Amino acid sequence: MIEPDYNDIPLYNNVFWSLISESCHILLIAPSGAGKTMLLSFLGAMVLKRKHKLYLIDGKQTSFGATFRSVGIQTATTPSEIINMLSYLVKEMEKRYAEVFNSENTGLNTNFSDFSLPAHVLIFDEVLSALDSGSKQENAEMVRLLKQLALKGRMAGFVIVLTAQRILATDLPKSITEQCQTRLLMGANVSEELYHVTLGGYKKDLATGYRGGVGTGYAVTPKTGLTYFEAPYMDFSKINFKELLEKLVHKNNE
Ligand SMILES: Nc1ncnc2c1ncn2[C@@H]1O[C@H](COP(=O)(O)OP(=O)(O)OP(=O)(O)O)[C@@H](O)[C@H]1O
Ligand SMILES: [Mg+2]
């Protein structure tokens, strides 16, 4: 069996993504065109490189989802596919808790890495579009399942990465967004309010002035607090991304 790699995934300077930390869940907020999907492509590739399991929801049905799907990564786009995928992940999570985490072998700080298990990482692009695309009932079911993963996923290695162009408590319950302790905000056209609800502070208090743009913005993590952030950039004119993914998937299946 291949051994997953639990080392931190470097993002920018002292900002890391750790699948085994309290801040494993990521919330990425950025207006259209600010680089959400590009950053998710990087994160998805890193999940595969570290030999964890990757699941994708592409709420806007773009080439992003299509590329990952074409190399064999499970990808959901329609409301029923999304609900199926979320249900599957919740079930797997419950199974892992029941089978692996029991009082005999589990302490306060035990997590899935202690059992050499892979993380199951769900990358969910454009959560609000996905919620809007379903009926009221489907919307409620997606929220209910996502809430389970957000609240209970961490120890068992069920990690979520969510993106949206805005966050309002009316669209996405606080119980979900509050579990995302890695917060990223990118883009030039970010209102004071969006900045505040995403990161907690105020744009006007930034000592150097606001520096958000395409692929740039700010991060908040428990370790770093608020810090300037630049997303890793992949130049797709030089990198054949599909080929890269194929190699990673192939390696994981060896
Ligand atoms: N980190 C980056 N550095 C430089 N350019 C970038 C970066 N990220 C994205 N871009 C450029 O910006 C364009 C838009 O990026 P992307 O599609 O990721 O944005 P998005 O937030 O997902 O937008 P949308 O709302 O359209 O889904 C990309 O085609 C790319 O050329
Ligand atoms: Mg996008």
Side-chain angles (χ1 to χ4, degrees):
M1 213 186 86
I2 40 166
E3 185 87 359
D5 178 346
Y6 305 97
N7 285 306
D8 291 352
I9 294 166
L11 296 180
Y12 178 72
N13 277 356
N14 56 348
V15 182
F16 294 90
W17 183 24
S18 166
L19 299 177
I20 54 172
S21 77
E22 62 192 330
S23 51
C24 60
H25 300 317
I26 299 179
L27 180 65
L28 164 59
I29 302 294
S32 188
K36 293 182 296 296
T37 304
M38 174 74 84
L39 176 52
L40 292 186
S41 304
F42 173 82
L43 297 179
M46 291 311 289
V47 167
L48 296 173
K49 192 169 178 206
R50 294 283 198 271
K51 300 182 165 40
H52 297 283
K53 305 270 184 218
L54 179 63
Y55 303 82
L56 221 83
I57 299 177
D58 180 10
K60 283 203 314 196
Q61 311 211 15
T62 64
S63 62
F64 163 66
T67 304
F68 278 85
R69 180 177 266 166
S70 74
V71 301
I73 301 298
Q74 288 200 52
T75 303
T77 52
T78 65
S80 66
E81 284 174 357
I82 294 170
I83 289 171
N84 281 343
M85 178 175 282
L86 292 171
S87 309
Y88 170 81
L89 286 169
V90 169
K91 237 183 263 155
E92 288 296 303
M93 174 180 75
E94 302 289 359
K95 209 164 90 186
R96 189 173 274 190
Y97 273 116
E99 288 173 1
V100 181
F101 289 77
N102 53 56
S103 52
E104 280 153 50
N105 60 15
T106 309
L108 218 53
N109 294 317
T110 309
N111 68 53
F112 66 105
S113 70
D114 297 311
F115 306 107
S116 301
L117 292 166
H120 291 249
V121 180
L122 170 67
I123 291 186
F124 194 157
D125 199 11
E126 304 284 359
V127 177
L128 300 182
S129 313
L131 292 176
D132 284 344
S133 71
S135 66
K136 219 174 153 182
Q137 227 175 357
E138 287 170 326
N139 177 313
E141 183 63 359
M142 288 185 220
V143 169
R144 186 185 73 80
L145 293 162
L146 206 51
K147 208 186 270 185
Q148 302 271 314
L149 293 172
L151 289 173
K152 297 197 286 187
R154 188 172 65 83
M155 265 174 62
F158 288 72
V159 173
I160 56 175
V161 179
L162 308 177
T163 85
Q165 301 190 7
R166 56 175 200 280
I167 39 168
L168 297 172
T170 45
D171 300 319
L172 205 57
K174 273 206 166 132
S175 52
I176 296 175
T177 53
E178 274 171 356
Q179 294 300 320
C180 300
Q181 291 199 39
T182 296
R183 301 286 185 108
L184 304 173
L185 178 79
M186 300 193 306
N189 297 313
V190 167
S191 69
E192 190 68 59
E193 190 200 357
L194 184 61
Y195 184 93
H196 182 66
V197 290
T198 310
L199 302 176
Y202 291 94
K203 224 167 120 180
K204 58 179 164 49
D205 292 339
L206 288 167
T208 53
Y210 181 76
R211 291 198 287 160
V214 175
T216 69
Y218 295 85
V220 169
T221 74
K223 270 195 194 146
T224 59
L226 177 67
T227 173
Y228 174 72
F229 176 78
E230 283 180 19
Y233 178 62
M234 297 181 292
D235 186 349
F236 289 143
S237 68
K238 300 205 177 88
I239 306 167
N240 184 333
F241 189 61
K242 192 180 161 192
E243 214 173 86
L244 176 87
L245 288 179
E246 271 167 350
K247 276 188 197 147
L248 292 171
V249 169
H250 182 73
K251 250 193 167 160
N252 290 356
N253 291 337
E254 266 171 9

